[in-house]
Amino acid sequence: MFGFFKKKQNDGYMLGAPAKGKAVDLKEVNDPTFNSGMLGQGVAVIPSEGKIFAPADGEIAMVFDTLHAISMNAENGAEILVHVGLDTVNLKGKGFQAHVKAGDKVKKGDLLLDVDLALLEEEGYDIITPVLVCNTDDYASVEGIFGKEVVPGDDVVKICEK
């Protein structure tokens, strides 16, 4: 009723890796929109497979028309953006296949997109995939966990409540 019985979240809320690959610091993303934190804090994954999965339980807010990015609202209120590659909006959906649409409820680990990584690279695009918490200021901290190989669902972002 007054929050007296609410369990304190000391461990934070964890976002999972959206793809198999290497988790890296956002500073390694070769785009100031992402590496400056302008859109929020998080982590990036250099995918080794072309399957992109939900990093949390929640609802799909938007699947971009060009299929290169998905935004979702996690159950804890985090507004998450998964952006596949850099400047891949220019492909206008070529090489992408969506498995979800706006309004869909998803669980952490559900398949969101198939991506032809070889095609993206052949076309000259960087395949690095940032995962951002766009409402970072709503939290005490949002910290990327990087410098390791990950599989979908591995902890890559820790969100601590204020």
Side-chain angles (χ1 to χ4, degrees):
M1 179 156 82
F2 296 102
F4 295 131
F5 302 108
K6 265 191 172 174
K7 185 179 171 200
K8 185 77 175 149
Q9 274 195 316
N10 292 331
D11 294 339
Y13 183 84
M14 304 302 284
L15 299 186
K20 181 178 180 179
K22 182 170 185 178
V24 298
D25 191 332
L26 281 180
K27 290 179 178 69
E28 293 188 36
V29 179
N30 192 23
D31 184 318
T33 305
F34 298 110
N35 66 28
S36 69
M38 185 184 312
L39 295 178
Q41 294 300 313
V43 74
V45 174
I46 301 169
S48 59
E49 293 180 353
K51 295 197 176 298
I52 306 298
F53 299 92
D57 293 353
E59 183 176 330
I60 301 300
M62 182 172 145
V63 176
F64 287 66
D65 290 343
T66 52
L67 308 178
H68 74 288
I70 290 182
S71 65
M72 65 176 289
N73 297 314
E75 286 183 343
N76 76 327
E79 297 169 4
I80 302 166
L81 174 67
V82 179
H83 192 285
V84 182
L86 301 182
D87 298 323
T88 49
V89 64
N90 298 326
L91 288 169
K92 299 181 171 117
K94 181 179 173 187
F96 293 90
Q97 180 184 2
H99 295 281
V100 293
K101 63 186 180 317
D104 285 355
K105 302 273 192 226
V106 295
K107 293 287 186 192
K108 185 177 186 177
D110 285 355
L111 183 63
L112 302 178
L113 295 170
D114 278 315
V115 183
D116 186 340
L117 297 177
L119 173 80
L120 270 60
E121 290 179 316
E122 285 168 15
E123 297 278 340
Y125 292 94
D126 188 335
I127 61 171
I128 198 164
T129 300
V131 181
L132 307 172
V133 176
C134 296
N135 59 335
T136 293
D137 292 344
D138 292 351
Y139 299 97
S141 67
V142 176
E143 301 170 13
I145 302 166
F146 48 84
K148 63 180 183 174
E149 292 293 321
V150 293
V151 295
D154 282 357
D155 292 344
V156 291
V157 177
K158 182 178 182 181
I159 302 171
C160 294
E161 302 286 336
K162 284 187 176 176

